[in-house]
Amino acid sequence: MLKSISRRSLLTATVGLALVTRMRPAWAQLPPLAKKASYKVGFAQTESNNPWRLAQTESMQSEAKKLGYQLVYTDAAGSAAKQVADVNSMIAQGVDLIFLPPREEKPLIPAIMNAKNAGIPVILVDRDVDHTLAKPGEDYVTFTGSDFVDEGKRVAEWLVKAMGGNAKIIEIEGTVGSSPANDRRKGFDTFMKDHPGMVILASQSGDFARDKGRQVMETLYQAHPDATAVYAHSDEMALGAISAIEAAGKVPGKDVIVVGVDGEKAALEAIIAGKMGATCECNPRFGPGAFAIMARYAAGETLPTFIKNEDRFFDATNAKENVDSAF
Ligand code: GYE
């Protein structure tokens, strides 16, 4: 017993010493980025099961190619644990910088800290983390993406107008613990508090995926057949909900008004067909903006802690003229 404990503590001490000598102290500032003609950059994608993710990956890859940078690309296939391992492997490969869309707000914190301690700057793209656990400008360079609270609020505003201030709403949320799900709910639910005729009957996560959105709607609509509106945190889930409404023998756009977020092509087509009410854009084409932020950082600029993407809003008044440019 004694022998095994002492052997284990000796091992721990040795590993610990090896790490300490390699690592920067935890309180160190952001790692700098040298100015170079070319870089090896990591992009640790969350999953690839929807058009939004595919458009984002395409945008990151084509911008890297345009600049002549080497892009180390990984796909976490919907697992935060795999995404942590993916980031750790990028650190081991010695990339110059990591672009990370943290799938959920908390589990990716250790990976961000590992990168920082290894001297590799991290730029969060499209999703943020919990600021009580890791701070922009201190632990990672910045967060660039949409204002999700505002997206939820804009959808809420549209729905109040369209429903004349009275609706029974089913809310289909995004990935549990992700910043867009947390903030899109906050923006929407807070706005609705001032509109007592707008009642949220039930809410449940559909993990930002079309088929899960369909399944959740099937269950919630059976429990709440009096629902008159659906707010989905993504267009994929909104399209899933539309299928569930049709399967229940009801008419989306008439019996139930469906609204979403993202502005994907299939959603704009559903708006044109009268099946969907509106969607707030969430632009997935991050490539040019993300690499421009990287260049500013390499030039020594102190960046703002949030670099915001501007989002458009689509409904029947403008879906036709924008459908071709949608993803
Ligand atoms: O809205 C959703 C995707 O993180 C902002 O993730 C992104 C969201 C996007 O899967 O459809």
Side-chain angles (χ1 to χ4, degrees), residues 44-46 76 79-88 100-103 108:
Q45 182 56 285
T46 58
S79 155
K82 171 152 188 327
Q83 199 179 26
V84 169
D86 290 343
V87 171
N88 286 339
L100 175 66
R103 189 171 195 275
L108 270 297

Side-chain angles (χ1 to χ4, degrees), residues 29-52:
Q29 285 160 2
L30 281 175
L33 180 66
K35 260 184 130 172
K36 294 201 283 187
S38 181
Y39 294 95
K40 183 171 161 186
V41 176
F43 174 51
Q45 182 56 285
T46 58
E47 57 232 294
S48 300
N49 63 348
N50 66 66
W52 197 98

Side-chain angles (χ1 to χ4, degrees), residues 58-77:
E58 201 283 321
S59 178
M60 294 297 287
Q61 284 175 336
S62 63
E63 188 66 17
K65 199 168 165 204
K66 201 171 119 194
L67 294 166
Y69 296 178
Q70 186 190 340
L71 193 73
V72 178
Y73 169 76
T74 53
D75 177 355

Side-chain angles (χ1 to χ4, degrees), residues 173-213:
E173 299 179 28
T175 296
V176 175
S178 71
S179 63
N182 290 342
D183 290 351
R184 283 173 189 164
R185 185 185 55 216
K186 196 191 282 170
F188 185 88
D189 292 12
T190 306
F191 190 83
M192 290 313 183
K193 288 208 175 99
D194 294 330
H195 299 272
M198 306 290 289
V199 181
I200 301 171
L201 298 171
S203 52
Q204 197 177 309
S205 171
D207 203 22
F208 283 129
R210 190 183 293 211
D211 201 53
K212 281 196 192 136

Side-chain angles (χ1 to χ4, degrees), residues 46-47 49-50 52-53 56 101-102 125-127 146 148 151 175 178-180 184 207-209 233-236 261-262 264 282-283 286 327:
T46 58
E47 57 232 294
N49 63 348
N50 66 66
W52 197 98
R53 292 284 145 201
Q56 185 190 38
V125 291
D126 98 64
R127 289 188 189 179
S146 293
F148 305 125
E151 289 176 344
T175 296
S178 71
S179 63
R184 283 173 189 164
D207 203 22
F208 283 129
H233 291 185
S234 76
D235 286 344
E236 282 296 286
V261 184
D262 277 347
E264 69 170 79
C282 181
N283 194 341
F286 274 81
F327 58 94

Side-chain angles (χ1 to χ4, degrees), residues 3-33:
K3 203 173 154 203
S4 78
I5 287 176
S6 64
R7 197 189 287 153
R8 195 192 301 149
S9 48
L10 185 67
L11 186 71
T12 314
T14 318
V15 172
L17 192 67
L19 284 173
V20 165
T21 47
R22 265 195 64 216
M23 278 156 70
R24 298 146 47 86
W27 37 262
Q29 285 160 2
L30 281 175
L33 180 66

